[in-house]
Amino acid sequence: MSKVLSLAIAFLRERKARTVLTIVATAAAVSMVIWVTSSYEALHKTYDEYADLALGRYELAIAPISGEPTDFVPADSIGLLLDDPAVKAVDPMWAGRIPVLELQDEPLPIDQASRGMDSGSGSHRPLPSLMFIATDAPQPPFEMAEGEWVQPDADDANGETPRIVVRADVAKRRGIAVGDTLTLELPRRSQTGETTLAVRVGGIVNGPTLFGAGGAGIPMLTPSSGEAFLSISLLGRITGEPFRISLLGVSVAPEADITKFRFSWGPQLSGHSVPLQFQQAFEIEEALDQASAAQNVRMQSYAATGVAMLVAMLVIFCSLSMGVTERIRQYAILRAVVLTRGQVGWLIVLESLVLGSAGLVVGIGLGWGLLKLAETLFGSLLYHGVGFGSFSLTLATIAAVGGALLASIVPAYQATRVKPVDAMAPRQSSNAAAVTWPSLIVGSLLLAIGPLLSFVFPPGEDRIWLAMAVSFASIAIGFVVLAPCVVVFVDRLLGHLLARVLGVDPKLLASQVTSNIWRTVGASISMAFGLGLFVGIQVWGFTMLEAFVPGNWTPDAIAIVKPGLSPDQVAGIAALPDVDESRCLPLVVEQPRLVDDLTGSAARPSVIRQDNVIMVGLDPQDAFAGEHPLLRLQWVAGNAEDAVAKMKLGHACVVPDHFLEETGLQIGDTLAVDPPRNAGVTAEYTIAGAVELPGWHWQTKLTGLRPRTHRAAALVFADYDSVATDFDLPVASHAWFSYANDSADVEAIETAINGIVETVHGRASDDGEVSAKVVSIDSIRDRLLNGARRWLWMISVLPLVTLLIACIGVLNVILASVRARRWEFGVLRSIGFTSNELARAILVEGLMIAMVAAVLSIGFGVLTGWCGAELAQYVSFFGGLHPPMVIPWLPIFGGVILVGVLGVLTAIWPAITIRRSRPMSLLQSGRDLM
């Protein structure tokens, strides 16, 4: 083994430049893994903080669906929940504000404190009211920073001052410490007749701060809403009323599927005397998303490891393959003199492992250096700091060593096939014609598998992941097999053109990239890997995005009016100069739950598989019919005239086409929903038609059309009177309108609508908000597209970095190609070709390799993005809408330019080397070291 290892090291030392470049490329791939995995290491340090956001130790919170302070959770709901084996605990809580009169740094004597008296000592600071949560839960919802959690009846039994617990950020902001005494103002209805009550701060709890009360008017009530906590017995002493439940904290067994649990309980919760729902407002959803952020980064770490391993494999594979090709005679002599076939194979494997191990060591040092540099430069911005532990080291080792082992398989097999007699046989170049037609036929057959599985024979949801794997693998292998055909195509199509453009003799470029077709294929695939992933991400992302971009069916803008206007008052909005009077309608909106889980949300929720719908009431005649209807819709089932006639009769509706596909309903079927404000009463609507509504999700998300929870199965249109009556909506909450001209001033329209609302309701007061906000469809599209583009470019960084690393492998290929032809270049110089012509020929060769990579990348990216977007409809949370394929040509064109520039740049060094060499040195040193 030592003899074989010595030979491997000697061979690597023979080609110093190639060895160094291969190690550098492998090290770059390893450092990429370390950079990504360090994010997971850092997040893992603060994972508990993520897990504690919003809900604390509870997995779910339950509160009245109305969000009204006068509605409370029925007590009988607790027993029903506890009967579910998936539920570990249910803790009832009261939430409300209690005025705080003053803070005393020194506690009062017990006898004075009990009478609410001031001791005359300590400092006094007026404080605003605090949001208190009363609970007898045995454990705090969040970790205690100091002190003790509230103990029911403990203070009353000992005759001590009652104790409360304050949230840490509130205590810090208001200067409250453990042991301080607060004086609470008691309502006049207190049974004891006291007007104030002194309480002692017994503990500080590390609850998170979630700013805001929810998006688009969605109410939110969770354990994190509490600024201070007290026992239920103390609450009774303060209010003098029986305990009523504002929310329930629900702990679920670790093995339970929270998503299925939440959706299966939805209908039961809405059936109580006071309809209930799980609190899933924007802030909670975002908090739950953050709670899984570490897991998402962990998956990114695995993906980066896989990408890095493939990059290392391709780079090392190119280096080893070139070495095997150049050393055929040496291997033959070694076989004849000293080595067995197995030892020759081990020689290649050890050579690969040395390259991988050296790249691992250098990559670890490079990655660690980059992390420390980032910490030095941006330490104040890195909330989690930098992390480098066993997880990063393990994945980096897998990427380097695993890639090296994979890269050695084919070259080792080729080396073991060398016979001793090959030492006397002349070298034979590859015959491009012999592989072109077989590669075209086999490659085309493999490429057809992906579209067939995606569009012609789509599998069931239980086998979709297998279909994805087979589809992706067949497309990838298909393009690898097709690569020799693409090389010949580019050589014959672009070679002559590039020669003319760059002033190179066409005969000099004839069959340059096909003279050693497998070397060109290896280099092209190395470059195509990164660019192909980039194109695939862009095509997949923009195709999936197409379903969420609001289409031309929607009017120009929507006004959110608080507390609402009657239909007659909305006529004032239609009369504004910049508003099209014929296309302005009042809307009443509610978000009820479906009586039956028609979409199967309990089994697998998605963006359209939800247990509720958005009901919009409007005038059907002006909305759908006439020459200039408000909504310009494409009807998939039914037609506008029939639908309007049925809607005018009442309790008929129009639904999106995807809703019929998901539910299996048809025109004429009934849709039953539970009104949130009227439990036990069912509202039924007959489906009168189905239309295409691309982008309704974002249209409703940013305009307050989701008043209950921030996801819904469908946007359903019905007549104004039916929706207003069924859901107890006395006034219109929105006005939907189009502009009267292209130069309409949105700000001026919003100001004018605010004036109308204030004229009707007066200015804003403590009793409620009086305002109007206009949201234009252009602003929704811009916000969506800008955010999507930023996100897509963020996830495209890794493929582009991969492309840069792969260029080192291409440089190796061009160096080897130039080395093998040094004698030929010497002959060409001797017969009249100038050094500049030879240098330009090498640059064109690099550009042609890049063009082969571009063709492979575009084909691979478009096909995988298209098939991936279709298969994602069956498993992705945002699937089910089946949008048409979108090819974003601008970023793809930019990627092609980038790969072309990189191809030329990688050829500059070899070109300069040949340009500086004299003809005699080229003739004499054809086999010298580069």
Side-chain angles (χ1 to χ4, degrees):
M1 181 63 70
S2 61
K3 175 176 58 179
V4 177
L5 179 60
S6 299
L7 277 172
I9 295 175
F11 282 147
L12 292 174
R13 293 178 62 186
E14 181 185 8
R15 298 287 186 260
K16 293 184 177 66
R18 183 184 303 167
T19 300
V20 170
L21 289 173
T22 304
I23 292 174
V24 169
T26 306
V30 169
S31 64
M32 179 177 65
V33 173
I34 292 174
W35 183 267
V36 175
T37 55
S38 66
S39 300
Y40 174 73
E41 297 274 1
L43 282 177
H44 190 68
K45 296 178 181 178
T46 55
Y47 186 77
D48 288 341
E49 176 184 337
Y50 279 99
D52 284 343
L53 284 177
L55 298 175
R57 66 183 180 88
Y58 303 104
E59 283 75 24
L60 295 166
I62 296 175
I65 207 171
S66 65
E68 300 293 339
T70 55
D71 288 340
F72 295 93
V73 178
D76 57 0
S77 61
I78 299 177
L80 296 175
L81 284 165
L82 290 175
D83 290 339
D84 191 318
V87 176
K88 289 171 51 182
V90 179
D91 292 328
M93 304 178 188
W94 172 91
R97 305 199 73 87
I98 299 177
V100 180
L101 297 180
E102 60 185 14
L103 166 69
Q104 298 174 217
D105 295 333
E106 298 296 335
L108 290 170
I110 295 176
D111 59 339
Q112 296 181 12
S114 62
R115 298 191 301 272
M117 297 175 58
D118 185 358
S119 65
S121 62
S123 61
H124 306 273
R125 296 190 296 275
L127 295 174
S129 62
L130 294 177
M131 172 62 78
F132 277 83
I133 285 186
T135 177
D136 282 345
Q139 298 177 355
F142 313 101
E143 292 184 358
M144 295 295 297
E146 56 179 314
E148 297 180 353
W149 179 242
V150 293
Q151 299 297 324
D153 303 325
D155 297 317
D156 291 340
N158 299 328
E160 297 179 356
T161 303
R163 289 178 293 179
I164 65 171
V165 170
V166 180
R167 202 172 67 199
D169 63 311
V170 177
K172 181 179 180 180
R173 186 170 63 251
R174 299 187 175 181
I176 300 174
V178 173
D180 287 348
T181 301
L182 301 180
T183 300
L184 307 181
E185 182 180 2
L186 304 185
R188 295 179 181 178
R189 58 181 176 272
S190 173
Q191 294 178 347
T192 62
E194 299 173 335
T195 58
T196 61
L197 177 68
V199 295
R200 184 166 58 90
V201 178
I204 305 293
V205 66
N206 282 324
T209 305
L210 296 177
F211 297 100
I218 295 178
M220 182 187 73
L221 189 60
T222 66
S224 63
S225 304
E227 296 175 302
F229 301 83
L230 45 75
S231 66
I232 293 177
S233 60
L234 180 56
L235 174 68
R237 182 176 173 183
I238 294 173
T239 63
E241 293 184 348
F243 173 70
R244 291 184 292 183
I245 305 171
S246 302
L247 74 155
L248 298 173
V250 181
S251 296
V252 180
E255 64 275 8
D257 188 321
I258 295 179
T259 300
K260 290 184 178 180
F261 176 85
R262 180 165 63 91
F263 279 87
S264 63
W265 266 94
Q268 299 182 58
L269 294 179
S270 61
H272 285 287
S273 56
V274 175
L276 308 175
Q277 71 174 358
F278 292 107
Q279 293 300 284
Q280 296 290 307
F282 284 105
E283 287 84 354
I284 303 178
E285 288 289 344
E286 291 169 1
L288 294 177
D289 289 341
Q290 283 184 311
S292 61
Q295 295 299 326
N296 293 335
V297 175
R298 187 177 186 179
M299 294 303 298
Q300 294 174 18
S301 301
Y302 293 148
T305 302
V307 170
M309 185 167 65
L310 290 174
V311 171
M313 181 195 74
L314 291 171
V315 172
I316 296 175
F317 171 79
C318 289
S319 178
L320 295 178
S321 295
M322 290 182 291
V324 170
T325 302
E326 294 170 351
R327 302 189 192 113
I328 290 294
R329 291 180 177 175
Q330 296 181 42
Y331 292 138
I333 293 173
L334 289 171
R335 282 288 317 280
V337 176
V338 65
L339 297 183
T340 65
R341 178 174 295 181
Q343 288 176 318
V344 172
W346 270 111
L347 175 62
I348 303 300
V349 173
L350 289 176
E351 191 175 343
S352 177
L353 287 176
V354 170
L355 291 173
S357 300
L360 174 63
V361 173
V362 176
I364 290 174
L366 177 62
W368 177 247
L370 289 174
L371 290 176
K372 298 307 292 183
L373 178 63
E375 186 178 33
T376 301
L377 297 177
F378 309 105
S380 60
L381 302 178
L382 298 176
Y383 177 76
H384 301 286
V386 297
F388 181 70
S390 58
F391 182 74
S392 299
L393 184 60
T394 299
L395 294 187
T397 303
I398 291 174
V401 178
L405 288 174
L406 290 175
S408 66
I409 295 175
V410 174
Y413 174 77
Q414 293 174 338
T416 58
R417 302 293 295 175
V418 175
K419 302 175 182 179
V421 73
D422 292 336
M424 304 300 297
R427 297 184 182 181
Q428 297 181 353
S429 59
S430 303
N431 186 359
V435 299
T436 301
W437 284 108
S439 77
L440 178 61
I441 296 172
V442 177
S444 299
L445 291 175
L446 288 170
L447 294 183
I449 295 176
L452 287 174
L453 287 177
S454 303
F455 299 96
V456 182
F457 306 108
E461 290 189 7
D462 56 334
R463 292 177 295 175
I464 198 69
W465 294 108
L466 176 62
M468 281 186 170
V470 172
S471 177
F472 184 86
S474 64
I475 293 173
I477 297 172
F479 274 104
V480 171
V481 174
L482 200 63
C485 187
V486 176
V487 171
V488 174
F489 170 77
V490 171
D491 192 14
R492 294 178 180 176
L493 182 67
L494 297 180
H496 187 79
L497 176 62
L498 292 175
R500 293 297 184 187
V501 172
L502 297 178
V504 180
D505 191 332
K507 296 179 181 179
L508 185 61
L509 290 180
S511 301
Q512 283 297 315
V513 296
T514 56
S515 60
N516 195 323
I517 193 168
W518 295 115
R519 180 180 293 170
T520 305
V521 165
S524 301
I525 292 175
S526 297
M527 294 191 76
F529 180 70
L531 183 59
L533 287 178
F534 170 79
V535 175
I537 289 172
Q538 296 292 318
V539 172
W540 169 83
F542 279 97
T543 298
M544 295 289 288
L545 179 66
E546 182 69 11
F548 297 92
V549 178
N552 295 326
W553 62 271
T554 182
D556 293 324
I558 189 168
I560 309 168
V561 183
K562 296 180 181 180
L565 297 173
S566 67
D568 293 339
Q569 293 164 345
V570 173
I573 299 177
L576 295 175
D578 286 338
V579 176
D580 185 348
E581 186 175 5
S582 64
R583 301 185 68 208
C584 177
L585 292 179
L587 309 179
V588 282
V589 182
E590 187 52 273
Q591 192 176 4
R593 293 187 181 277
L594 297 168
V595 173
D596 300 312
D597 189 8
L598 300 174
T599 63
S601 60
R604 186 184 74 81
S606 71
V607 70
I608 57 174
R609 298 178 72 170
Q610 300 288 317
D611 62 351
N612 66 90
V613 294
I614 301 170
M615 299 292 302
V616 173
L618 73 180
D619 184 334
Q621 178 68 35
D622 292 337
F624 304 123
E627 295 182 1
H628 302 287
L630 177 69
L631 307 177
R632 297 168 178 171
L633 302 172
Q634 293 292 327
W635 290 81
V636 177
N639 57 73
E641 291 75 15
D642 292 343
V644 169
K646 294 176 181 178
M647 293 173 73
K648 286 182 176 180
L649 298 176
H651 289 89
C653 65
V654 175
V655 300
D657 54 346
H658 65 77
F659 185 72
L660 293 186
E661 183 177 349
E662 284 293 329
T663 60
L665 297 175
Q666 299 177 354
I667 291 182
D669 290 341
T670 299
L671 179 67
V673 295
D674 285 329
R677 294 183 177 87
N678 196 359
V681 176
T682 299
E684 295 185 350
Y685 291 80
T686 302
I687 299 176
V691 295
E692 294 181 358
L693 293 177
W696 69 264
H697 298 85
W698 272 79
Q699 173 86 334
T700 58
K701 178 177 182 178
L702 300 179
T703 54
L705 292 179
R706 306 182 194 176
R708 299 298 173 189
T709 183
H710 81 300
R711 288 201 173 99
L715 176 63
V716 180
F717 298 110
D719 67 288
Y720 187 98
D721 293 336
S722 295
V723 175
T725 302
D726 289 343
F727 302 106
D728 190 19
L729 302 172
V731 292
S733 58
H734 296 74
W736 218 347
F737 60 89
S738 290
Y739 302 142
N741 50 69
D742 295 336
S743 59
D745 189 336
V746 178
E747 293 184 0
I749 294 175
E750 181 173 290
T751 301
I753 297 176
N754 266 298
I756 295 173
V757 176
E758 290 181 359
T759 300
V760 175
H761 298 285
R763 293 187 176 275
S765 65
D766 295 337
D767 296 334
E769 182 180 0
V770 175
S771 67
K773 179 181 179 181
V774 174
V775 181
S776 69
I777 190 63
D778 289 336
S779 68
I780 295 175
R781 291 188 183 119
D782 291 342
R783 179 173 174 178
L784 174 61
L785 292 173
N786 291 335
R789 290 191 184 102
R790 285 195 301 269
W791 181 78
L792 287 174
W793 277 105
M794 285 176 60
I795 64 175
S796 297
V797 170
L798 185 61
L800 294 179
V801 172
T802 301
L803 173 60
L804 295 176
I805 297 173
C807 289
I808 301 177
V810 178
L811 175 59
N812 259 338
V813 169
I814 298 178
L815 283 173
S817 177
V818 170
R819 172 186 294 280
R821 292 178 288 158
R822 285 181 66 85
W823 184 82
E824 296 176 15
F825 286 137
V827 173
L828 291 173
R829 286 292 307 279
S830 301
I831 63 175
F833 284 94
T834 66
S835 59
N836 287 333
E837 285 182 301
L838 297 181
R840 289 199 299 273
I842 295 173
L843 293 177
V844 173
E845 183 178 345
L847 181 58
M848 292 177 68
I849 291 175
M851 291 300 99
V852 173
V855 173
L856 293 173
S857 300
I858 293 175
F860 172 82
V862 169
L863 198 54
T864 54
W866 182 40
C867 295
E870 180 62 24
L871 291 175
Q873 303 302 314
Y874 303 98
V875 291
S876 172
F877 183 84
F878 296 97
L881 300 172
H882 301 281
M885 181 174 67
V886 176
I887 301 178
W889 289 112
L890 184 60
I892 292 177
F893 182 68
V896 172
I897 293 178
L898 174 63
V899 80
V901 171
L902 292 175
V904 174
L905 291 177
T906 54
I908 288 178
W909 178 14
I912 292 175
T913 303
I914 290 299
R915 186 178 181 278
R916 291 180 175 178
S917 300
R918 294 181 298 177
M920 187 59 67
S921 65
L922 292 173
L923 291 171
Q924 293 178 342
S925 60
R927 296 178 60 84
D928 288 349
L929 294 174
M930 182 68 69

